[in-house]
Amino acid sequence: MKLEKLFSKMPCQILCAGSDLKRTIRGGYACDMLSWVVSRIDSGEIWLTILNSVNVVAVATLSECACVMLTESVEMEADVLSRAKEKGLTIVTTPLTTYEAAVSISRLLEAEQTTAGRN
Amino acid sequence: MRMAVQTVKLSFQIRGSDFVNAGEASSNTKKALSRIGLNPSVVKRAAIAMYEAELNAMIHAGGGQADVEIFPDHVVIQIADRGPGIPDVDLAMQAGWSTAPDIAREMGFGAGMGLPNIKKHADDMRIETIVGQGTTITIHILFA
Ligand SMILES: Nc1ncnc2c1ncn2[C@@H]1O[C@H](COP(=O)(O)OP(=O)(O)O)[C@@H](O)[C@H]1O
Ligand SMILES: [Mg+2]
């Protein structure tokens, strides 16, 4: 599923639109420890986290993840967002908890697969 | 006659406790490696290993220096600091072991996975450390 389509189907607000909203996502990774994320997240995945410091930008850039989704309505400061913009990252925030967001993404991806299978 | 091997050298200062610019050395190295057209998975391995070593110098050692030398078939990344050294390297290498301060933990650091991550992603990793004098981590990444 393309990022922009996913965003249109779940409650979230784009804080920083990155260079590639048409990027295809295959899943997600939920964790608030940077060393785990940088080593484990895949480039087609959305990173679900409550972290919002500038280090999130560094880790998302290094790991080339598809998007950072801040959960629990976490916001990001303007200077951090401008750095994210420089790096071409996409950052969104959702009022959902990390668990709810993961479930929601998973359901959307599954629903799309089922539809694709029927066609 | 042996031809001299041409290499590219990069050097970066790592400032102590500078959480804002943390990862810049790795990010710049990643760009340089991408530019020469290496396999993205090799670039990613190098970037992750270097990031962890860079962050350790920033968090645990009051800063340091990163030296990168790119050879035709591999890259050597060396991160050196004059920090407190690591008293027990075997312990430090254990997944989950961390002495990171609370301020670092609050920002998502201190998982105790940095050194294990370097080992996982590097083709070779060497730690030279003397308590009271400093630590040098040398990382080798092969391109093929
Ligand atoms: N450059 C360094 N200087 C001093 N101590 C270090 C250095 N690098 C690592 N250490 C020690 O090894 C521990 C484990 O490091 P690491 O696996 O990267 O985990 P973390 O950085 O999350 O604590 C650190 O908590 C610290 O005690
Ligand atoms: Mg570390």
Side-chain angles (χ1 to χ4, degrees):
Chain A
M1 178 176 286
K2 305 262 187 273
L3 263 187
E4 56 186 4
K5 181 159 178 204
L6 181 95
F7 296 159
S8 72
K9 288 182 180 289
M10 62 185 288
C12 69
Q13 182 200 343
I14 298 179
L15 300 179
C16 174
S19 46
D20 195 3
L21 287 177
K22 298 218 173 351
R23 193 159 160 180
T24 301
I25 53 142
R26 286 184 296 275
Y29 187 78
C31 186
D32 301 318
M33 291 303 253
L34 299 172
S35 283
W36 283 85
V37 180
V38 78
S39 163
R40 303 264 289 156
I41 197 168
D42 216 68
S43 58
E45 294 178 340
I46 291 195
W47 175 16
L48 299 169
T49 184
I50 51 165
L51 296 174
N52 62 354
S53 77
V54 67
N55 307 292
V56 169
V57 174
V59 166
T61 309
L62 280 179
S63 65
E64 292 162 11
C65 70
C67 155
V68 181
M69 184 174 278
L70 305 173
T71 56
E72 311 267 4
S73 296
V74 165
E75 293 285 338
M76 201 170 243
E77 283 180 16
D79 54 339
V80 180
L81 282 175
S82 71
R83 198 175 268 244
K85 199 162 188 75
E86 270 169 39
K87 307 271 183 191
L89 289 178
T90 299
I91 316 260
V92 300
T93 182
T94 176
L96 303 178
T97 65
T98 297
Y99 171 76
E100 290 163 345
V103 168
S104 166
I105 291 168
S106 163
R107 286 197 179 133
L108 288 167
L109 292 180
E110 241 169 63
E112 191 186 57
Q113 282 224 318
T114 324
T115 327
R118 254 192 262 124
N119 292 340
Chain B
M1 195 183 87
R2 273 190 65 192
M3 297 267 280
V5 177
Q6 273 206 331
T7 67
V8 175
K9 291 184 185 176
L10 310 170
S11 226
F12 308 91
Q13 290 300 317
I14 303 162
R15 278 191 307 205
S17 305
D18 181 358
F19 288 92
V20 173
N21 293 300
E24 278 301 302
S26 314
S27 177
N28 285 321
T29 300
K30 185 180 179 211
K31 267 187 227 146
L33 292 173
S34 302
R35 234 180 277 126
I36 60 174
L38 294 177
N39 181 330
S41 75
V42 170
V43 176
K44 196 167 164 181
R45 281 200 294 125
I48 292 171
M50 181 169 175
Y51 176 74
E52 293 288 5
E54 178 184 354
L55 268 286
N56 280 352
M58 185 277 282
I59 295 172
H60 304 295
Q65 165 146 346
D67 287 290
V68 178
E69 187 162 10
I70 308 172
F71 292 83
D73 59 348
H74 71 288
V75 58
V76 180
I77 299 163
Q78 193 164 71
I79 312 272
D81 67 61
R82 293 170 185 274
I86 305 174
D88 185 340
V89 173
D90 289 338
L91 186 60
M93 284 299 299
Q94 278 180 25
W97 168 261
S98 174
T99 62
D102 285 346
I103 165 157
R105 278 172 209 280
E106 280 153 23
M107 284 188 270
F109 298 106
M113 292 302 292
L115 294 174
N117 271 354
I118 299 172
K119 192 175 162 116
K120 178 177 152 199
H121 290 94
D123 291 299
D124 187 56
M125 164 199 197
R126 232 155 268 175
I127 305 179
E128 292 155 85
T129 183
I130 299 175
V131 171
Q133 290 189 28
T135 301
T136 300
I137 308 260
T138 309
I139 297 161
H140 285 245
I141 307 274
L142 307 180
F143 297 162

